[in-house]
Short mmCIF file of all heavy atoms in Angstrom, two decimals:
data_model
loop_
_atom_site.label_atom_id
_atom_site.label_comp_id
_atom_site.label_asym_id
_atom_site.label_seq_id
_atom_site.Cartn_x
_atom_site.Cartn_y
_atom_site.Cartn_z
N ILE A 65 262.67 72.77 301.68
CA ILE A 65 264.04 73.14 301.31
C ILE A 65 264.62 74.10 302.33
O ILE A 65 265.78 73.97 302.74
CB ILE A 65 264.04 73.79 299.91
CG1 ILE A 65 263.66 72.75 298.85
CG2 ILE A 65 265.39 74.39 299.58
CD1 ILE A 65 263.41 73.35 297.50
N GLU A 66 263.82 75.06 302.77
CA GLU A 66 264.30 76.02 303.77
C GLU A 66 264.69 75.32 305.06
O GLU A 66 265.76 75.59 305.63
CB GLU A 66 263.23 77.07 304.04
CG GLU A 66 263.01 78.05 302.90
CD GLU A 66 261.87 79.00 303.17
OE1 GLU A 66 260.99 78.65 303.99
OE2 GLU A 66 261.84 80.09 302.57
N ARG A 67 263.83 74.41 305.52
CA ARG A 67 264.12 73.71 306.78
C ARG A 67 265.23 72.68 306.62
O ARG A 67 266.12 72.57 307.47
CB ARG A 67 262.85 73.02 307.29
CG ARG A 67 261.77 73.97 307.77
CD ARG A 67 260.71 73.21 308.55
NE ARG A 67 260.09 72.18 307.75
CZ ARG A 67 258.96 72.34 307.06
NH1 ARG A 67 258.34 73.51 307.10
NH2 ARG A 67 258.44 71.35 306.35
N GLY A 68 265.18 71.92 305.52
CA GLY A 68 266.13 70.82 305.36
C GLY A 68 267.52 71.25 304.97
O GLY A 68 268.51 70.67 305.46
N PHE A 69 267.63 72.24 304.08
CA PHE A 69 268.95 72.62 303.56
C PHE A 69 269.41 73.99 304.04
O PHE A 69 270.52 74.41 303.71
CB PHE A 69 268.93 72.59 302.03
CG PHE A 69 268.62 71.24 301.45
CD1 PHE A 69 267.44 71.01 300.78
CD2 PHE A 69 269.51 70.18 301.60
CE1 PHE A 69 267.14 69.77 300.24
CE2 PHE A 69 269.23 68.94 301.08
CZ PHE A 69 268.04 68.72 300.40
N GLY A 70 268.57 74.70 304.77
CA GLY A 70 269.00 75.97 305.35
C GLY A 70 269.01 77.14 304.38
O GLY A 70 269.62 78.17 304.68
N PHE A 71 268.34 77.03 303.24
CA PHE A 71 268.26 78.18 302.33
C PHE A 71 267.34 79.24 302.93
O PHE A 71 266.23 78.94 303.37
CB PHE A 71 267.74 77.74 300.96
CG PHE A 71 268.72 76.93 300.16
CD1 PHE A 71 268.50 75.59 299.91
CD2 PHE A 71 269.87 77.51 299.66
CE1 PHE A 71 269.40 74.83 299.18
CE2 PHE A 71 270.78 76.78 298.92
CZ PHE A 71 270.55 75.43 298.68
N GLN A 72 267.80 80.48 302.91
CA GLN A 72 267.06 81.56 303.54
C GLN A 72 266.24 82.39 302.56
O GLN A 72 265.41 83.21 302.97
CB GLN A 72 268.04 82.51 304.27
CG GLN A 72 268.85 81.83 305.35
CD GLN A 72 267.98 81.32 306.49
OE1 GLN A 72 267.11 82.03 306.97
NE2 GLN A 72 268.21 80.10 306.91
N HIS A 73 266.48 82.20 301.26
CA HIS A 73 265.84 83.07 300.27
C HIS A 73 265.18 82.23 299.19
O HIS A 73 265.60 82.25 298.02
CB HIS A 73 266.87 84.01 299.65
CG HIS A 73 267.65 84.81 300.65
ND1 HIS A 73 267.16 85.94 301.23
CD2 HIS A 73 268.89 84.60 301.18
CE1 HIS A 73 268.05 86.43 302.08
NE2 HIS A 73 269.11 85.64 302.06
N VAL A 74 264.14 81.50 299.55
CA VAL A 74 263.37 80.71 298.58
C VAL A 74 262.11 81.51 298.26
O VAL A 74 261.31 81.80 299.14
CB VAL A 74 263.02 79.32 299.13
CG1 VAL A 74 262.26 78.51 298.09
CG2 VAL A 74 264.28 78.58 299.56
N ARG A 75 261.97 81.88 297.00
CA ARG A 75 260.87 82.76 296.59
C ARG A 75 260.08 82.14 295.44
O ARG A 75 260.61 81.38 294.64
CB ARG A 75 261.41 84.12 296.13
CG ARG A 75 262.30 84.83 297.16
CD ARG A 75 261.49 85.39 298.30
NE ARG A 75 262.29 86.18 299.20
CZ ARG A 75 262.70 85.79 300.40
NH1 ARG A 75 262.39 84.57 300.83
NH2 ARG A 75 263.42 86.59 301.17
N SER A 76 258.81 82.50 295.36
CA SER A 76 257.94 82.07 294.27
C SER A 76 257.44 83.30 293.53
O SER A 76 256.85 84.21 294.15
CB SER A 76 256.76 81.26 294.80
OG SER A 76 255.75 81.14 293.81
N THR A 77 257.68 83.37 292.22
CA THR A 77 257.19 84.52 291.45
C THR A 77 255.68 84.60 291.50
O THR A 77 255.10 85.69 291.57
CB THR A 77 257.66 84.42 289.99
OG1 THR A 77 257.24 83.16 289.45
CG2 THR A 77 259.16 84.52 289.89
N SER A 78 255.03 83.44 291.47
CA SER A 78 253.56 83.43 291.50
C SER A 78 253.04 83.95 292.82
O SER A 78 252.08 84.74 292.86
CB SER A 78 253.05 82.00 291.26
OG SER A 78 253.54 81.49 290.05
N ALA A 79 253.64 83.52 293.93
CA ALA A 79 253.20 83.99 295.24
C ALA A 79 253.46 85.48 295.42
O ALA A 79 252.69 86.18 296.08
CB ALA A 79 253.90 83.19 296.33
N LEU A 80 254.55 85.98 294.82
CA LEU A 80 254.86 87.41 294.93
C LEU A 80 253.89 88.25 294.11
O LEU A 80 253.52 89.36 294.51
CB LEU A 80 256.30 87.66 294.46
CG LEU A 80 257.42 87.16 295.38
CD1 LEU A 80 258.75 87.20 294.65
CD2 LEU A 80 257.49 88.00 296.64
N ALA A 81 253.49 87.73 292.95
CA ALA A 81 252.64 88.51 292.06
C ALA A 81 251.16 88.40 292.40
O ALA A 81 250.38 89.34 292.14
CB ALA A 81 252.86 88.07 290.61
N ALA A 82 250.74 87.27 292.97
CA ALA A 82 249.32 87.02 293.20
C ALA A 82 248.62 88.11 294.01
O ALA A 82 247.49 88.50 293.66
CB ALA A 82 249.13 85.65 293.86
N PRO A 83 249.22 88.65 295.09
CA PRO A 83 248.51 89.70 295.84
C PRO A 83 248.16 90.92 294.99
O PRO A 83 247.14 91.57 295.24
CB PRO A 83 249.50 90.06 296.96
CG PRO A 83 250.34 88.83 297.13
CD PRO A 83 250.47 88.26 295.76
N TRP A 84 248.98 91.24 294.01
CA TRP A 84 248.69 92.38 293.14
C TRP A 84 247.43 92.10 292.33
O TRP A 84 246.59 92.99 292.13
CB TRP A 84 249.86 92.65 292.21
CG TRP A 84 251.13 93.07 292.89
CD1 TRP A 84 252.02 92.27 293.53
CD2 TRP A 84 251.64 94.40 293.01
NE1 TRP A 84 253.06 93.00 294.05
CE2 TRP A 84 252.86 94.31 293.73
CE3 TRP A 84 251.20 95.65 292.57
CZ2 TRP A 84 253.63 95.43 294.02
CZ3 TRP A 84 251.98 96.77 292.85
CH2 TRP A 84 253.18 96.66 293.57
N PHE A 85 247.31 90.86 291.82
CA PHE A 85 246.13 90.49 291.04
C PHE A 85 244.87 90.51 291.92
O PHE A 85 243.83 91.03 291.53
CB PHE A 85 246.32 89.11 290.43
CG PHE A 85 247.26 89.07 289.25
CD1 PHE A 85 248.62 89.00 289.43
CD2 PHE A 85 246.77 89.12 287.95
CE1 PHE A 85 249.49 88.98 288.35
CE2 PHE A 85 247.62 89.10 286.86
CZ PHE A 85 248.99 89.02 287.06
N VAL A 86 245.00 89.92 293.11
CA VAL A 86 243.85 89.84 294.02
C VAL A 86 243.43 91.24 294.46
O VAL A 86 242.24 91.59 294.46
CB VAL A 86 244.20 88.96 295.23
CG1 VAL A 86 243.07 89.00 296.26
CG2 VAL A 86 244.46 87.54 294.80
N GLY A 87 244.41 92.06 294.83
CA GLY A 87 244.10 93.42 295.26
C GLY A 87 243.41 94.23 294.17
O GLY A 87 242.43 94.92 294.42
N ALA A 88 243.93 94.10 292.94
CA ALA A 88 243.33 94.84 291.83
C ALA A 88 241.91 94.37 291.57
O ALA A 88 241.02 95.17 291.23
CB ALA A 88 244.18 94.67 290.58
N ALA A 89 241.66 93.06 291.71
CA ALA A 89 240.33 92.51 291.46
C ALA A 89 239.33 92.95 292.52
O ALA A 89 238.14 93.15 292.23
CB ALA A 89 240.39 90.99 291.39
N LEU A 90 239.79 93.11 293.75
CA LEU A 90 238.87 93.44 294.84
C LEU A 90 238.79 94.92 295.16
O LEU A 90 237.97 95.34 295.98
CB LEU A 90 239.30 92.67 296.11
CG LEU A 90 239.31 91.14 296.00
CD1 LEU A 90 239.67 90.52 297.34
CD2 LEU A 90 237.96 90.63 295.51
N GLY A 91 239.67 95.73 294.53
CA GLY A 91 239.60 97.17 294.76
C GLY A 91 240.64 97.70 295.72
O GLY A 91 240.54 98.85 296.17
N LEU A 92 241.66 96.91 296.03
CA LEU A 92 242.75 97.36 296.89
C LEU A 92 243.95 97.69 296.02
O LEU A 92 244.42 96.85 295.24
CB LEU A 92 243.12 96.27 297.90
CG LEU A 92 244.34 96.55 298.80
CD1 LEU A 92 244.00 97.67 299.79
CD2 LEU A 92 244.77 95.29 299.55
N ASP A 93 244.45 98.92 296.14
CA ASP A 93 245.63 99.32 295.36
C ASP A 93 246.88 98.81 296.08
O ASP A 93 247.26 99.33 297.13
CB ASP A 93 245.70 100.84 295.23
CG ASP A 93 244.57 101.39 294.39
OD1 ASP A 93 244.13 100.69 293.47
OD2 ASP A 93 244.12 102.53 294.66
N VAL A 94 247.51 97.79 295.50
CA VAL A 94 248.76 97.27 296.07
C VAL A 94 249.89 98.16 295.62
O VAL A 94 250.10 98.37 294.42
CB VAL A 94 248.99 95.81 295.64
CG1 VAL A 94 250.30 95.29 296.21
CG2 VAL A 94 247.84 94.92 296.09
N LEU A 95 250.66 98.69 296.56
CA LEU A 95 251.73 99.63 296.25
C LEU A 95 253.10 99.00 296.32
O LEU A 95 254.01 99.42 295.60
CB LEU A 95 251.68 100.82 297.23
CG LEU A 95 250.35 101.57 297.31
CD1 LEU A 95 250.42 102.67 298.34
CD2 LEU A 95 249.98 102.14 295.94
N ASN A 96 253.27 97.99 297.16
CA ASN A 96 254.58 97.36 297.29
C ASN A 96 254.44 96.04 298.04
O ASN A 96 253.46 95.82 298.75
CB ASN A 96 255.55 98.29 298.05
CG ASN A 96 256.99 98.06 297.66
OD1 ASN A 96 257.39 96.92 297.42
ND2 ASN A 96 257.78 99.12 297.56
N THR A 97 255.41 95.18 297.83
CA THR A 97 255.52 93.95 298.61
C THR A 97 256.97 93.78 299.05
O THR A 97 257.90 94.21 298.34
CB THR A 97 255.11 92.71 297.78
OG1 THR A 97 255.95 92.62 296.61
CG2 THR A 97 253.66 92.78 297.35
N PHE A 98 257.18 93.19 300.19
CA PHE A 98 258.53 92.92 300.67
C PHE A 98 258.47 91.78 301.68
O PHE A 98 257.38 91.41 302.17
CB PHE A 98 259.18 94.16 301.30
CG PHE A 98 258.41 94.74 302.46
CD1 PHE A 98 258.64 94.32 303.76
CD2 PHE A 98 257.44 95.72 302.25
CE1 PHE A 98 257.93 94.84 304.83
CE2 PHE A 98 256.72 96.25 303.31
CZ PHE A 98 256.97 95.82 304.60
N TYR A 99 259.62 91.21 301.98
CA TYR A 99 259.71 90.11 302.93
C TYR A 99 260.36 90.58 304.22
O TYR A 99 261.29 91.40 304.21
CB TYR A 99 260.57 88.97 302.36
CG TYR A 99 259.80 87.94 301.56
CD1 TYR A 99 259.41 88.20 300.26
CD2 TYR A 99 259.46 86.71 302.12
CE1 TYR A 99 258.71 87.25 299.52
CE2 TYR A 99 258.76 85.77 301.39
CZ TYR A 99 258.38 86.04 300.10
OH TYR A 99 257.68 85.09 299.38
N VAL A 100 259.85 90.07 305.33
CA VAL A 100 260.54 90.15 306.61
C VAL A 100 260.76 88.71 307.05
O VAL A 100 259.81 87.97 307.28
CB VAL A 100 259.71 90.90 307.68
CG1 VAL A 100 260.43 90.88 309.01
CG2 VAL A 100 259.45 92.33 307.23
N ASP A 101 262.02 88.32 307.12
CA ASP A 101 262.37 86.92 307.33
C ASP A 101 261.73 86.12 306.19
O ASP A 101 262.03 86.35 305.04
CB ASP A 101 261.92 86.47 308.72
CG ASP A 101 262.61 85.17 309.16
OD1 ASP A 101 263.74 84.94 308.72
OD2 ASP A 101 262.01 84.41 309.92
N ARG A 102 260.80 85.20 306.49
CA ARG A 102 260.14 84.43 305.43
C ARG A 102 258.68 84.84 305.24
O ARG A 102 257.94 84.17 304.54
CB ARG A 102 260.21 82.93 305.76
CG ARG A 102 261.62 82.37 305.79
CD ARG A 102 261.61 80.87 306.03
NE ARG A 102 262.93 80.30 305.99
CZ ARG A 102 263.73 80.16 307.05
NH1 ARG A 102 263.30 80.57 308.22
NH2 ARG A 102 264.92 79.63 306.92
N GLN A 103 258.28 85.92 305.86
CA GLN A 103 256.89 86.36 305.80
C GLN A 103 256.72 87.50 304.79
O GLN A 103 257.34 88.56 304.92
CB GLN A 103 256.43 86.84 307.19
CG GLN A 103 255.06 87.49 307.22
CD GLN A 103 253.95 86.52 306.86
OE1 GLN A 103 253.87 85.43 307.40
NE2 GLN A 103 253.08 86.92 305.94
N PRO A 104 255.88 87.32 303.74
CA PRO A 104 255.63 88.42 302.80
C PRO A 104 254.67 89.44 303.40
O PRO A 104 253.71 89.08 304.08
CB PRO A 104 255.02 87.71 301.59
CG PRO A 104 254.41 86.46 302.15
CD PRO A 104 255.22 86.06 303.34
N PHE A 105 254.96 90.71 303.16
CA PHE A 105 254.11 91.81 303.60
C PHE A 105 253.64 92.59 302.39
O PHE A 105 254.32 92.65 301.36
CB PHE A 105 254.87 92.75 304.55
CG PHE A 105 254.96 92.25 305.96
CD1 PHE A 105 255.87 91.26 306.30
CD2 PHE A 105 254.15 92.77 306.95
CE1 PHE A 105 255.96 90.80 307.61
CE2 PHE A 105 254.23 92.32 308.25
CZ PHE A 105 255.14 91.33 308.58
N LEU A 106 252.48 93.22 302.55
CA LEU A 106 251.86 94.00 301.50
C LEU A 106 251.68 95.42 301.99
O LEU A 106 251.30 95.64 303.14
CB LEU A 106 250.49 93.41 301.15
CG LEU A 106 250.09 93.31 299.68
CD1 LEU A 106 251.00 92.33 298.98
CD2 LEU A 106 248.64 92.84 299.58
#
């Protein structure tokens, strides 16, 4: 969709939330998430 129709803000709630679950399970305290362009950062 991003490539074909040019939408710049396509987000997935699951993809945004998953790092928090993974971090908590492995012992990493996730403090924030944000996007730069289309790349999520933790």
Side-chain angles (χ1 to χ4, degrees):
I65 292 170
E66 289 176 337
R67 291 194 300 266
F69 299 112
F71 288 111
Q72 300 296 313
H73 306 279
V74 182
R75 305 286 187 256
S76 165
T77 55
S78 303
L80 289 167
W84 296 79
F85 285 83
V86 174
L90 300 184
L92 175 69
D93 293 329
V94 178
L95 305 178
N96 208 322
T97 59
F98 59 89
Y99 270 79
V100 177
D101 197 29
R102 296 183 177 91
Q103 173 65 50
F105 280 77
L106 222 66

